[in-house]
Amino acid sequence: MSLSFFVGEENYSFERKIIIVSSLIVSFTALIATFVNIYIGLNAIINFASISGLIVYTLFYFLARITDKEILLKWVVSLISLLFLNIVWYLNYFSNGPSNFLFLVYCAFIIFVWDKKKILFFSVLIIVNITALFLFEIYFPDSVMSYPSAFSRKVDIYVGLIISIAIIIIYTLAAKKNYTTQYLKARRADDLKSAFLANMTHEIRTPLNSIAGFSSLIVNDNLPLEKKKRFAEIISINTQYLSSLVDDILDTSRIESNQLSLHVKECNISELFSRLKEEFKHEIENLGKPISLKSNLSSENLTIYTDCKRLEQILRNLINNAIKFTREGEISFGCYEKNNDLLFFVKDTGIGIKKEDESKIFNRFSRINDKNDLENLYSGTGIGLSLSKELVNLMDGKIWVESEYGKGSDFYFTLPRLKMELHFNNN
Ligand code: ADP
């Protein structure tokens, strides 16, 4: 059983994880403390305190795993913990007991869960609190109870010290792990962005050169009409490519800033498929690749309520990739009903994807090229699949790939067949 089972979701904030782990440790410690206290014969009030600690922190643990009011949770846990510290200090023989260590652990906790201003606020609070405890101990020396024996004091102090050290180690390790993961993530994002920019230059320059070159040739009056037509076609293909590249980049940034909205309406899948088939057949012919293109529909006149433009964009992207990464054989795309969803697929007999790369290809700017195989160096920016994934997610679906390296890839995505009324209510 891994630690994540106790901590919960991966995407929890670092602060929330610290609260979850701390609550778990405190309730576990309170449980042990209850047994130790009974064993060394401390009084009933102390047992009462440790049992309340057990209950309160178990509650915090579950609260931290379910609540969406993280700030409130942080305030409640921080303030109640300080209150508990004072009770523990009072019951555990003031400065004779192990409470001093616990104040240090509390400081570490505050530093990990709060930001600058609040840390300052809690630091002042802790210092005022400790000064008050000091004055209390000076002016009311008779209130300090004494340990039943020197042995029980030693056990209490050392157990307290060990627990405090353990918690500090856990905090520091968690912080170090968090820092390292964030740092590596940032570095990878940076590397990917640099690679993306380098690719982009190439991806933009190639069609631009072609447009510039053929535009200057086409104005030649002596050029036969056939050639003029061919050149115009090349210019048009490259312009389309450039425009879809710019669209992809804009969509990526729209998604990043949560500004991409869907326009849901009834889409006729059969119509869309026959249009795509005709268009891509023509493209494959132009490329001169020995590839046959097939489309499959489970029933005629299939319709779905979704954003038709985005659905087409995803299919186009997958079919374009299939053509790009297939030298010969067959590409098929289709769709059938599965429970309440429509399952779309695009299959090819191309180069395939290694198992270890299957999860990477949906990451932004991620391109998998076998550097040793010069034949396999394909052009691309690495945003197509990440954009498709974001769009499918936005449309409440799922996208995945099943592939055999060297044999071909099957891309699948689902979209819910929502009822018309639902969408009208939402819009
Ligand atoms: P791009 O194609 O512009 O590089 P994508 O995000 O569309 O970016 O694809 C990312 C990577 O996934 C590609 O570089 C390629 O390595 C791999 N890939 C995508 N589709 C296929 C496919 N049909 N067959 C093999 N590899 C593919």
Short mmCIF file of all heavy atoms in Angstrom, two decimals, residues 336-383:
data_model
loop_
_atom_site.label_atom_id
_atom_site.label_comp_id
_atom_site.label_asym_id
_atom_site.label_seq_id
_atom_site.Cartn_x
_atom_site.Cartn_y
_atom_site.Cartn_z
N TYR A 336 -18.72 4.18 -33.82
CA TYR A 336 -19.90 3.38 -33.48
C TYR A 336 -20.40 3.72 -32.09
O TYR A 336 -19.68 4.32 -31.28
CB TYR A 336 -19.65 1.87 -33.66
CG TYR A 336 -18.42 1.32 -33.00
CD1 TYR A 336 -18.45 0.86 -31.69
CD2 TYR A 336 -17.21 1.24 -33.71
CE1 TYR A 336 -17.33 0.34 -31.10
CE2 TYR A 336 -16.08 0.71 -33.12
CZ TYR A 336 -16.15 0.25 -31.82
OH TYR A 336 -15.03 -0.25 -31.24
N GLU A 337 -21.65 3.32 -31.85
CA GLU A 337 -22.26 3.64 -30.55
C GLU A 337 -21.77 2.66 -29.50
O GLU A 337 -21.67 1.47 -29.76
CB GLU A 337 -23.78 3.54 -30.66
CG GLU A 337 -24.35 4.63 -31.54
CD GLU A 337 -25.69 4.24 -32.12
OE1 GLU A 337 -25.69 3.65 -33.21
OE2 GLU A 337 -26.70 4.52 -31.48
N LYS A 338 -21.48 3.19 -28.32
CA LYS A 338 -21.07 2.33 -27.21
C LYS A 338 -21.69 2.88 -25.95
O LYS A 338 -21.32 3.98 -25.51
CB LYS A 338 -19.55 2.33 -27.10
CG LYS A 338 -19.02 1.10 -26.42
CD LYS A 338 -17.52 1.12 -26.33
CE LYS A 338 -17.08 -0.02 -25.44
NZ LYS A 338 -15.78 0.18 -24.90
N ASN A 339 -22.62 2.16 -25.37
CA ASN A 339 -23.42 2.64 -24.23
C ASN A 339 -24.01 4.02 -24.56
O ASN A 339 -24.65 4.17 -25.58
CB ASN A 339 -22.58 2.68 -22.95
CG ASN A 339 -21.92 1.34 -22.68
OD1 ASN A 339 -22.49 0.31 -23.00
ND2 ASN A 339 -20.72 1.36 -22.14
N ASN A 340 -23.68 5.03 -23.72
CA ASN A 340 -24.22 6.36 -24.02
C ASN A 340 -23.25 7.24 -24.80
O ASN A 340 -23.47 8.43 -24.96
CB ASN A 340 -24.61 7.08 -22.73
CG ASN A 340 -25.80 6.43 -22.09
OD1 ASN A 340 -26.67 5.93 -22.79
ND2 ASN A 340 -25.83 6.41 -20.77
N ASP A 341 -22.17 6.61 -25.25
CA ASP A 341 -21.13 7.38 -25.95
C ASP A 341 -21.06 7.00 -27.42
O ASP A 341 -21.58 5.98 -27.84
CB ASP A 341 -19.75 7.05 -25.34
CG ASP A 341 -19.64 7.52 -23.91
OD1 ASP A 341 -20.41 8.41 -23.52
OD2 ASP A 341 -18.78 6.98 -23.20
N LEU A 342 -20.35 7.87 -28.15
CA LEU A 342 -19.95 7.46 -29.49
C LEU A 342 -18.45 7.23 -29.43
O LEU A 342 -17.71 8.04 -28.86
CB LEU A 342 -20.23 8.58 -30.50
CG LEU A 342 -21.67 8.71 -31.03
CD1 LEU A 342 -21.68 9.68 -32.19
CD2 LEU A 342 -22.24 7.38 -31.47
N LEU A 343 -18.01 6.09 -29.97
CA LEU A 343 -16.58 5.79 -29.96
C LEU A 343 -16.04 6.02 -31.37
O LEU A 343 -16.47 5.38 -32.33
CB LEU A 343 -16.36 4.34 -29.54
CG LEU A 343 -14.91 3.89 -29.51
CD1 LEU A 343 -14.15 4.53 -28.36
CD2 LEU A 343 -14.81 2.37 -29.39
N PHE A 344 -15.10 6.97 -31.47
CA PHE A 344 -14.49 7.29 -32.77
C PHE A 344 -13.12 6.61 -32.83
O PHE A 344 -12.47 6.45 -31.78
CB PHE A 344 -14.28 8.80 -32.91
CG PHE A 344 -15.56 9.58 -32.99
CD1 PHE A 344 -16.24 9.94 -31.84
CD2 PHE A 344 -16.08 9.94 -34.23
CE1 PHE A 344 -17.43 10.66 -31.92
CE2 PHE A 344 -17.26 10.66 -34.31
CZ PHE A 344 -17.94 11.02 -33.15
N PHE A 345 -12.68 6.25 -34.02
CA PHE A 345 -11.34 5.68 -34.13
C PHE A 345 -10.67 6.11 -35.43
O PHE A 345 -11.37 6.43 -36.41
CB PHE A 345 -11.37 4.15 -34.03
CG PHE A 345 -12.13 3.48 -35.14
CD1 PHE A 345 -11.51 3.20 -36.36
CD2 PHE A 345 -13.46 3.15 -34.98
CE1 PHE A 345 -12.22 2.61 -37.39
CE2 PHE A 345 -14.18 2.56 -36.01
CZ PHE A 345 -13.56 2.29 -37.22
N VAL A 346 -9.34 6.15 -35.38
CA VAL A 346 -8.53 6.37 -36.59
C VAL A 346 -7.39 5.37 -36.51
O VAL A 346 -6.58 5.41 -35.57
CB VAL A 346 -7.97 7.81 -36.66
CG1 VAL A 346 -7.07 7.98 -37.87
CG2 VAL A 346 -9.09 8.83 -36.69
N LYS A 347 -7.37 4.42 -37.45
CA LYS A 347 -6.36 3.36 -37.39
C LYS A 347 -5.44 3.44 -38.61
O LYS A 347 -5.91 3.78 -39.69
CB LYS A 347 -7.04 1.99 -37.37
CG LYS A 347 -8.01 1.80 -36.22
CD LYS A 347 -8.65 0.44 -36.27
CE LYS A 347 -9.62 0.30 -35.10
NZ LYS A 347 -10.19 -1.02 -34.97
N ASP A 348 -4.17 3.15 -38.38
CA ASP A 348 -3.26 3.14 -39.53
C ASP A 348 -2.30 1.96 -39.47
O ASP A 348 -2.22 1.28 -38.45
CB ASP A 348 -2.49 4.47 -39.59
CG ASP A 348 -1.56 4.68 -38.41
OD1 ASP A 348 -0.71 3.82 -38.14
OD2 ASP A 348 -1.70 5.74 -37.73
N THR A 349 -1.63 1.72 -40.59
CA THR A 349 -0.64 0.63 -40.63
C THR A 349 0.75 1.27 -40.77
O THR A 349 1.57 0.84 -41.57
CB THR A 349 -0.91 -0.31 -41.84
OG1 THR A 349 -1.00 0.53 -43.01
CG2 THR A 349 -2.20 -1.06 -41.67
N GLY A 350 0.96 2.32 -39.97
CA GLY A 350 2.20 3.11 -40.07
C GLY A 350 3.30 2.63 -39.15
O GLY A 350 3.36 1.46 -38.78
N ILE A 351 4.13 3.59 -38.74
CA ILE A 351 5.35 3.23 -37.99
C ILE A 351 5.07 2.76 -36.57
O ILE A 351 5.92 2.15 -35.93
CB ILE A 351 6.34 4.43 -37.94
CG1 ILE A 351 5.68 5.65 -37.27
CG2 ILE A 351 6.83 4.80 -39.32
CD1 ILE A 351 6.66 6.76 -36.93
N GLY A 352 3.89 3.06 -36.04
CA GLY A 352 3.56 2.61 -34.68
C GLY A 352 4.28 3.42 -33.62
O GLY A 352 5.12 4.27 -33.92
N ILE A 353 3.94 3.14 -32.37
CA ILE A 353 4.51 3.90 -31.24
C ILE A 353 4.96 2.90 -30.19
O ILE A 353 4.24 1.95 -29.89
CB ILE A 353 3.43 4.84 -30.64
CG1 ILE A 353 2.93 5.82 -31.70
CG2 ILE A 353 3.96 5.60 -29.43
CD1 ILE A 353 1.56 6.37 -31.42
N LYS A 354 6.16 3.13 -29.65
CA LYS A 354 6.66 2.22 -28.60
C LYS A 354 5.79 2.36 -27.35
O LYS A 354 5.31 3.48 -27.07
CB LYS A 354 8.11 2.58 -28.25
CG LYS A 354 9.09 2.22 -29.32
CD LYS A 354 10.50 2.60 -28.89
CE LYS A 354 11.47 2.39 -30.04
NZ LYS A 354 12.67 3.17 -29.94
N LYS A 355 5.66 1.26 -26.61
CA LYS A 355 4.82 1.26 -25.40
C LYS A 355 5.19 2.42 -24.47
O LYS A 355 4.33 3.12 -23.93
CB LYS A 355 4.96 -0.06 -24.63
CG LYS A 355 4.03 -1.15 -25.12
CD LYS A 355 2.65 -1.06 -24.46
CE LYS A 355 1.57 -1.71 -25.26
NZ LYS A 355 1.13 -1.15 -26.51
N GLU A 356 6.53 2.61 -24.27
CA GLU A 356 6.98 3.62 -23.31
C GLU A 356 6.68 5.05 -23.78
O GLU A 356 6.72 5.99 -22.99
CB GLU A 356 8.48 3.45 -22.98
CG GLU A 356 9.45 3.73 -24.13
CD GLU A 356 9.90 2.47 -24.84
OE1 GLU A 356 9.11 1.50 -24.88
OE2 GLU A 356 11.03 2.45 -25.36
N ASP A 357 6.38 5.20 -25.10
CA ASP A 357 6.10 6.55 -25.61
C ASP A 357 4.61 6.87 -25.65
O ASP A 357 4.22 8.02 -25.86
CB ASP A 357 6.68 6.72 -27.02
CG ASP A 357 8.19 6.69 -27.02
OD1 ASP A 357 8.76 7.10 -25.99
OD2 ASP A 357 8.78 6.25 -28.01
N GLU A 358 3.78 5.85 -25.47
CA GLU A 358 2.33 6.05 -25.64
C GLU A 358 1.76 7.13 -24.72
O GLU A 358 0.87 7.88 -25.11
CB GLU A 358 1.57 4.73 -25.42
CG GLU A 358 1.65 3.83 -26.64
CD GLU A 358 0.87 2.54 -26.50
OE1 GLU A 358 0.12 2.40 -25.52
OE2 GLU A 358 1.03 1.67 -27.37
N SER A 359 2.30 7.21 -23.49
CA SER A 359 1.75 8.21 -22.57
C SER A 359 2.33 9.60 -22.86
O SER A 359 1.74 10.61 -22.53
CB SER A 359 2.05 7.82 -21.12
OG SER A 359 3.43 7.68 -20.98
N LYS A 360 3.51 9.64 -23.52
CA LYS A 360 4.17 10.94 -23.74
C LYS A 360 3.55 11.73 -24.90
O LYS A 360 3.56 12.95 -24.90
CB LYS A 360 5.66 10.73 -24.06
CG LYS A 360 6.46 10.22 -22.89
CD LYS A 360 7.91 10.14 -23.29
CE LYS A 360 8.65 9.13 -22.44
NZ LYS A 360 9.80 8.55 -23.11
N ILE A 361 3.05 11.00 -25.91
CA ILE A 361 2.66 11.70 -27.14
C ILE A 361 1.52 12.70 -26.95
O ILE A 361 1.34 13.59 -27.76
CB ILE A 361 2.30 10.72 -28.29
CG1 ILE A 361 1.19 9.79 -27.83
CG2 ILE A 361 3.51 9.95 -28.75
CD1 ILE A 361 0.62 8.99 -29.00
N PHE A 362 0.76 12.55 -25.85
CA PHE A 362 -0.34 13.50 -25.62
C PHE A 362 0.12 14.74 -24.84
O PHE A 362 -0.67 15.62 -24.54
CB PHE A 362 -1.50 12.82 -24.87
CG PHE A 362 -2.19 11.78 -25.70
CD1 PHE A 362 -1.93 10.44 -25.53
CD2 PHE A 362 -3.09 12.16 -26.69
CE1 PHE A 362 -2.56 9.48 -26.31
CE2 PHE A 362 -3.73 11.22 -27.48
CZ PHE A 362 -3.47 9.87 -27.28
N ASN A 363 1.42 14.76 -24.48
CA ASN A 363 1.94 15.94 -23.77
C ASN A 363 2.24 17.04 -24.77
O ASN A 363 2.64 16.77 -25.91
CB ASN A 363 3.24 15.62 -23.03
CG ASN A 363 2.98 14.65 -21.90
OD1 ASN A 363 1.84 14.53 -21.46
ND2 ASN A 363 4.01 13.97 -21.44
N ARG A 364 2.08 18.30 -24.31
CA ARG A 364 2.30 19.43 -25.21
C ARG A 364 3.75 19.48 -25.71
O ARG A 364 4.67 19.24 -24.93
CB ARG A 364 1.97 20.72 -24.46
CG ARG A 364 1.78 21.88 -25.38
CD ARG A 364 1.24 23.04 -24.63
NE ARG A 364 -0.12 22.81 -24.19
CZ ARG A 364 -0.75 23.57 -23.31
NH1 ARG A 364 -0.12 24.57 -22.76
NH2 ARG A 364 -1.99 23.32 -22.98
N PHE A 365 3.92 19.75 -26.97
CA PHE A 365 5.23 19.89 -27.64
C PHE A 365 6.03 18.59 -27.70
O PHE A 365 7.21 18.59 -27.98
CB PHE A 365 6.13 20.96 -26.96
CG PHE A 365 5.46 22.27 -26.73
CD1 PHE A 365 5.67 22.99 -25.57
CD2 PHE A 365 4.60 22.79 -27.68
CE1 PHE A 365 5.05 24.21 -25.36
CE2 PHE A 365 3.96 24.00 -27.48
CZ PHE A 365 4.18 24.71 -26.32
N SER A 366 5.35 17.49 -27.37
CA SER A 366 6.08 16.24 -27.30
C SER A 366 6.09 15.54 -28.67
O SER A 366 5.05 15.30 -29.25
CB SER A 366 5.40 15.39 -26.25
OG SER A 366 6.11 14.29 -26.02
N ARG A 367 7.28 15.25 -29.17
CA ARG A 367 7.39 14.54 -30.44
C ARG A 367 8.33 13.36 -30.25
O ARG A 367 9.36 13.49 -29.59
CB ARG A 367 7.97 15.46 -31.52
CG ARG A 367 7.08 16.65 -31.79
CD ARG A 367 7.76 17.63 -32.71
NE ARG A 367 8.01 17.04 -33.99
CZ ARG A 367 9.15 17.17 -34.64
NH1 ARG A 367 10.12 17.85 -34.14
NH2 ARG A 367 9.31 16.59 -35.82
N ILE A 368 7.94 12.23 -30.80
CA ILE A 368 8.78 11.04 -30.61
C ILE A 368 9.45 10.75 -31.93
O ILE A 368 8.80 10.35 -32.89
CB ILE A 368 7.91 9.82 -30.21
CG1 ILE A 368 6.90 10.20 -29.13
CG2 ILE A 368 8.77 8.63 -29.81
CD1 ILE A 368 7.46 10.60 -27.81
N ASN A 369 10.74 10.97 -31.97
CA ASN A 369 11.46 10.63 -33.20
C ASN A 369 12.63 9.74 -32.86
O ASN A 369 13.36 10.01 -31.91
CB ASN A 369 11.98 11.91 -33.87
CG ASN A 369 10.92 12.51 -34.76
OD1 ASN A 369 10.14 11.79 -35.38
ND2 ASN A 369 10.87 13.82 -34.80
N ASP A 370 12.76 8.68 -33.62
CA ASP A 370 13.89 7.80 -33.42
C ASP A 370 15.09 8.44 -34.11
O ASP A 370 15.20 8.43 -35.33
CB ASP A 370 13.55 6.44 -34.04
CG ASP A 370 14.57 5.40 -33.62
OD1 ASP A 370 15.62 5.82 -33.08
OD2 ASP A 370 14.31 4.21 -33.81
N LYS A 371 15.97 9.05 -33.26
CA LYS A 371 17.08 9.83 -33.82
C LYS A 371 18.04 8.97 -34.65
O LYS A 371 18.78 9.46 -35.49
CB LYS A 371 17.87 10.52 -32.70
CG LYS A 371 17.02 11.43 -31.83
CD LYS A 371 16.95 12.81 -32.43
CE LYS A 371 16.15 13.81 -31.64
NZ LYS A 371 14.97 13.39 -30.98
N ASN A 372 18.04 7.62 -34.39
CA ASN A 372 18.98 6.76 -35.12
C ASN A 372 18.44 6.41 -36.50
O ASN A 372 19.16 5.94 -37.36
CB ASN A 372 19.22 5.46 -34.35
CG ASN A 372 19.81 5.78 -33.00
OD1 ASN A 372 20.62 6.67 -32.89
ND2 ASN A 372 19.37 5.06 -31.97
N ASP A 373 17.15 6.61 -36.67
CA ASP A 373 16.54 6.22 -37.93
C ASP A 373 16.17 7.47 -38.72
O ASP A 373 15.12 8.06 -38.54
CB ASP A 373 15.28 5.39 -37.60
CG ASP A 373 14.63 4.88 -38.88
OD1 ASP A 373 15.14 5.21 -39.96
OD2 ASP A 373 13.62 4.16 -38.76
N LEU A 374 17.09 7.87 -39.59
CA LEU A 374 16.91 9.14 -40.28
C LEU A 374 15.62 9.18 -41.10
O LEU A 374 15.01 10.22 -41.27
CB LEU A 374 18.11 9.41 -41.20
CG LEU A 374 19.36 9.91 -40.47
CD1 LEU A 374 20.50 10.13 -41.43
CD2 LEU A 374 19.05 11.19 -39.69
N GLU A 375 15.21 8.00 -41.57
CA GLU A 375 13.99 7.94 -42.37
C GLU A 375 12.78 8.39 -41.56
O GLU A 375 11.80 8.86 -42.10
CB GLU A 375 13.78 6.49 -42.80
CG GLU A 375 13.94 6.29 -44.31
CD GLU A 375 13.34 4.97 -44.70
OE1 GLU A 375 13.92 3.95 -44.28
OE2 GLU A 375 12.31 4.98 -45.36
N ASN A 376 12.88 8.17 -40.25
CA ASN A 376 11.73 8.44 -39.39
C ASN A 376 11.68 9.86 -38.83
O ASN A 376 10.95 10.12 -37.88
CB ASN A 376 11.69 7.45 -38.22
CG ASN A 376 11.07 6.14 -38.65
OD1 ASN A 376 10.62 6.03 -39.78
ND2 ASN A 376 11.06 5.18 -37.76
N LEU A 377 12.49 10.75 -39.38
CA LEU A 377 12.47 12.11 -38.84
C LEU A 377 11.34 12.89 -39.52
O LEU A 377 11.50 13.41 -40.62
CB LEU A 377 13.81 12.81 -39.06
CG LEU A 377 14.91 12.34 -38.11
CD1 LEU A 377 16.23 13.03 -38.44
CD2 LEU A 377 14.54 12.64 -36.66
N TYR A 378 10.18 12.91 -38.88
CA TYR A 378 9.02 13.56 -39.47
C TYR A 378 8.91 14.98 -38.98
O TYR A 378 9.34 15.30 -37.88
CB TYR A 378 7.75 12.79 -39.09
CG TYR A 378 7.74 11.41 -39.68
CD1 TYR A 378 8.24 10.34 -38.95
CD2 TYR A 378 7.24 11.18 -40.95
CE1 TYR A 378 8.25 9.07 -39.48
CE2 TYR A 378 7.24 9.91 -41.49
CZ TYR A 378 7.74 8.85 -40.74
OH TYR A 378 7.75 7.61 -41.27
N SER A 379 8.27 15.82 -39.81
CA SER A 379 8.09 17.19 -39.37
C SER A 379 6.94 17.25 -38.36
O SER A 379 6.19 16.30 -38.21
CB SER A 379 7.75 18.06 -40.57
OG SER A 379 6.53 17.62 -41.12
N GLY A 380 6.80 18.36 -37.68
CA GLY A 380 5.71 18.49 -36.71
C GLY A 380 6.08 19.40 -35.57
O GLY A 380 7.26 19.72 -35.38
N THR A 381 5.06 19.85 -34.85
CA THR A 381 5.30 20.77 -33.74
C THR A 381 5.03 20.12 -32.40
O THR A 381 5.40 20.65 -31.36
CB THR A 381 4.36 21.98 -33.85
OG1 THR A 381 3.03 21.47 -33.98
CG2 THR A 381 4.69 22.85 -35.03
N GLY A 382 4.34 19.00 -32.41
CA GLY A 382 4.02 18.32 -31.15
C GLY A 382 2.87 18.96 -30.40
O GLY A 382 2.74 18.77 -29.19
N ILE A 383 2.03 19.74 -31.09
CA ILE A 383 0.88 20.29 -30.37
C ILE A 383 -0.44 19.63 -30.78
O ILE A 383 -1.43 19.74 -30.09
CB ILE A 383 0.72 21.82 -30.46
CG1 ILE A 383 0.85 22.31 -31.89
CG2 ILE A 383 1.65 22.53 -29.55
CD1 ILE A 383 0.59 23.81 -32.01
#
